[in-house]
Amino acid sequence: MMTQEAKRLRRKEGISAGLMLSPSLILLLITSIYPFFWLFRYVLYDYNGFVAYFTGLDNIKRAFTDVVFWQSVLHTFEYAICKLIIVIPLSLLLAVIIHKNIPGSKGFKMIFFLPTVISASIYALIFTFIFAVFKGPLNTVLQSMHLISAPIDWLGDAKWVMTSVIIVAVWGGVGNYMIYFLSGLSSVSSEVYESCMIDGANARQTFFKITLPMLSPILKVILLLAITTAFKDYQSIMVLTGGGPNNRSQVMFLYIYQLIFGSTSSFNIQIGYATVLSIIAAVIIGAVTVIYNKFAKKLDDVM
C-alpha cells in the first residue's frame, strides 16, 4: 500500500512535470493543433483571407476534377522518385569515400554540406544563372565541349525542366544525407573491418556484407526523411520555374502555395479550396509513409 506521504510526493512530482511541460504544450496547441482544426473550418467556404462565403461541397467536387492538381501529383511522384534514386546512393557513396579519411576529406565534407546551410531560394537563384540560355555557364561549357550545337532552355523547355529541377534538388540535399550516413559509418567499429581483411574479404564484399547491413537502422530513418522531404519540396521549384512551363514542373505544394498566397499571373487567393487540396496532399503523403513503413519492416530481413 502506498503511504500518504508517497502519494503526496507523487502528486507534487506530477504537478512539477506538468508545469515544466506546459510551455511546450501551449506552443504545440497554438502552432499545430489549433491551425489543424482551423484548417477544416474553411473546407466548405470560398475564403480569400478577408471574406468567407459558404459554398457547400463545391471545393471538394472541384478538387476531384482539377486537372492541374492531379498533374501536379504525378509530377510530385516523378520528382520524388528521381530525386531519391540519385540522392541516396550518391550521398552514401560520398560518405563512404570521405569516411576513408583521404587527403582533403574535411574540405570535401564542407563543400558538399554547404548547400544544406544555404536557403533553397538562394541556391535556386544561383542555378537560375547557371541554367541561363544565353551565356549561361552550363550551356557555355557544353558548347565548348561540342556536346550541344545550340543553347538549351533548361528551365523553359518542357523536355528539360524536370531534369533541371531534380539536379538542383540533388545538389541541395546530398550533403545533408551524407552527414547522416557518416554518423552511421562512424558507429561501425574498425575491428569489424580488420576482421574482414584478415578473412580475405575484398572491398565489395565488405561493403555489401558488413557496411550496408550495419547501416540498416539509420538507412531506414534517412529514407523516411528523404521521402517526406521530396514530396513536400517546392521552394526551389518556385524560384526556378514557378511551376512552368505549361505546369510541367508544377508539384503539389507549389500549387497549394500559389492558391493560398496568390500569384500576379494566373492565381487568385483561394484559401478554402487550397485547404481541401492540402488535406488530400496530406493523405497522399500519409499513404506513402504507411507503405514505406511496411517496406521498412521487411528491410531488416533483406539486410
Side-chain angles (χ1 to χ4, degrees), residues 78-265:
E78 178 187 359
Y79 170 85
I81 291 170
C82 291
K83 178 183 175 182
L84 292 171
I85 289 174
I86 300 171
V87 77
I88 296 300
L90 181 59
S91 57
L92 176 58
L93 176 62
L94 291 172
V96 171
I97 293 172
I98 292 175
H99 185 67
K100 292 183 180 296
N101 291 321
I102 60 174
S105 60
K106 290 184 179 180
F108 283 114
K109 187 189 300 185
M110 182 183 69
I111 291 170
F112 287 119
F113 188 71
L114 186 62
T116 304
V117 297
I118 299 176
S119 168
S121 301
I122 299 300
Y123 66 70
L125 284 172
I126 295 171
F127 272 93
T128 301
F129 167 72
I130 293 172
F131 287 133
V133 180
F134 299 105
K135 297 185 179 180
L138 182 57
N139 278 330
T140 301
V141 171
L142 292 177
Q143 283 184 293
S144 65
M145 297 173 65
H146 303 288
L147 295 177
I148 58 174
S149 57
I152 296 175
D153 189 356
W154 297 99
L155 301 176
D157 189 338
K159 179 181 177 182
W160 294 102
V161 65
M162 189 58 74
T163 301
S164 303
V165 298
I166 289 170
I167 290 172
V168 177
V170 169
W171 187 85
V174 68
N176 193 31
Y177 303 123
M178 179 192 70
I179 296 298
Y180 292 148
F181 279 122
L182 278 171
S183 65
L185 289 169
S186 63
S187 65
V188 181
S189 174
S190 59
E191 295 176 356
V192 177
Y193 293 114
E194 291 173 2
S195 299
C196 292
M197 292 176 64
I198 293 172
D199 292 336
N202 57 35
R204 180 178 175 276
Q205 291 171 329
T206 302
F207 178 77
F208 285 102
K209 298 296 183 180
I210 302 297
T211 304
L212 207 54
M214 297 192 75
L215 283 177
S216 177
I218 195 168
L219 176 60
K220 290 188 289 186
V221 175
I222 291 171
L223 281 172
L224 180 60
L225 289 173
I227 290 169
T228 54
T229 301
F231 274 89
K232 294 187 294 182
D233 275 354
Y234 74 91
Q235 295 96 329
S236 60
I237 300 175
M238 179 173 62
V239 175
L240 287 166
T241 66
N246 196 27
N247 294 317
R248 179 62 183 90
S249 61
Q250 188 72 272
V251 291
M252 285 191 298
F253 283 96
L254 175 56
Y255 186 55
I256 293 169
Y257 175 91
Q258 290 171 332
L259 288 170
I260 292 175
F261 294 99
S263 170
T264 56
S265 57

Side-chain angles (χ1 to χ4, degrees), residues 4-14:
Q4 291 296 327
E5 182 66 19
K7 289 181 180 179
R8 188 180 67 81
L9 288 173
R10 175 168 290 186
R11 185 165 56 251
K12 186 176 180 180
E13 290 174 354

Side-chain angles (χ1 to χ4, degrees), residues 60 63-64 69-70 252 275-285:
I60 299 174
F64 287 100
F69 173 70
W70 293 108
M252 285 191 298
T275 298
V276 176
L277 298 187
S278 64
I279 293 171
I280 295 174
V283 171
I284 292 171
I285 295 175

Side-chain angles (χ1 to χ4, degrees), residues 41-47 51-59:
R41 177 183 177 185
Y42 292 104
V43 167
L44 305 178
Y45 287 84
D46 178 12
Y47 180 53
V51 182
Y53 299 98
F54 181 78
T55 58
L57 298 176
D58 289 352
N59 286 332

